[in-house]
Amino acid sequence: MQLIFPRLRSIYDRLEPLSYALLRIAFGLMLMTHGIPKLLGRSHGSMADPMAGSVNLIANVLHLPGAPLIGWFVALLEGVGGLMLALGFLTRIVAPMVVVQMLVISYLLAPTFPWIDRGYEYPLMLVFVALCISARGSGRASIDARLGREF
């Protein structure tokens, strides 16, 4: 590949694994900020009880069966799965589950998420970040790499 600034190739080559690790870590930590309050029964932003809010949304807006069970799965995926992604542990298992979760959120809630006003771009962007992590794996700076697993 021909670079615009060829003299910077060594810098690009050194920063690429670090920048990917930082993306994966930031993504995992961001997911955790949504899952941990649900798991601990703590408030999150304007939501006094985010688990109850999630279960209510699943049951009464999406009309899915087993709302409490789905709510717990989502909370575990975001909380524990987010930690696993941040650490780079079982990334190729967890990240595709996040892709599915964010696709479902994007599809089912699209009518209630106007593009500008309420941030529809947020779950949609998370689809693509999770898809990138799914395809790329955990990278060199990860527990998976230390354990000799596919990264």
Side-chain angles (χ1 to χ4, degrees), residues 33-83:
T33 67
H34 291 272
I36 298 298
K38 289 176 184 138
L39 294 171
L40 298 179
R42 303 266 170 108
S43 64
H44 178 67
S46 63
M47 295 182 77
D49 186 348
M51 179 62 94
S54 293
V55 171
N56 180 53
L57 178 77
I58 293 163
N60 299 317
V61 176
L62 302 178
H63 306 291
L64 296 174
L69 183 61
I70 295 171
W72 273 103
F73 179 77
V74 166
L76 287 169
L77 180 59
E78 292 171 349
V80 177
L83 177 62

Side-chain angles (χ1 to χ4, degrees), residues 35-128:
I36 298 298
K38 289 176 184 138
L39 294 171
L40 298 179
R42 303 266 170 108
S43 64
H44 178 67
S46 63
M47 295 182 77
D49 186 348
M51 179 62 94
S54 293
V55 171
N56 180 53
L57 178 77
I58 293 163
N60 299 317
V61 176
L62 302 178
H63 306 291
L64 296 174
L69 183 61
I70 295 171
W72 273 103
F73 179 77
V74 166
L76 287 169
L77 180 59
E78 292 171 349
V80 177
L83 177 62
M84 292 169 74
L85 289 174
L87 297 173
F89 182 60
L90 300 177
T91 302
R92 289 194 189 264
I93 295 170
V94 176
M97 289 191 281
V98 175
V99 170
V100 171
Q101 177 196 10
M102 292 303 151
L103 279 172
V104 169
I105 289 170
S106 295
Y107 176 74
L108 293 176
L109 299 180
T112 63
F113 278 130
W115 183 263
I116 303 280
D117 293 340
R118 300 189 68 198
Y120 176 73
E121 68 274 12
Y122 182 72
L124 188 61
M125 186 63 178
L126 296 182
V127 168
F128 292 107

Side-chain angles (χ1 to χ4, degrees), residues 128-141:
F128 292 107
V129 173
L131 187 60
C132 175
I133 293 171
S134 296
R136 180 111 190 261
S138 56
R140 289 185 236 163

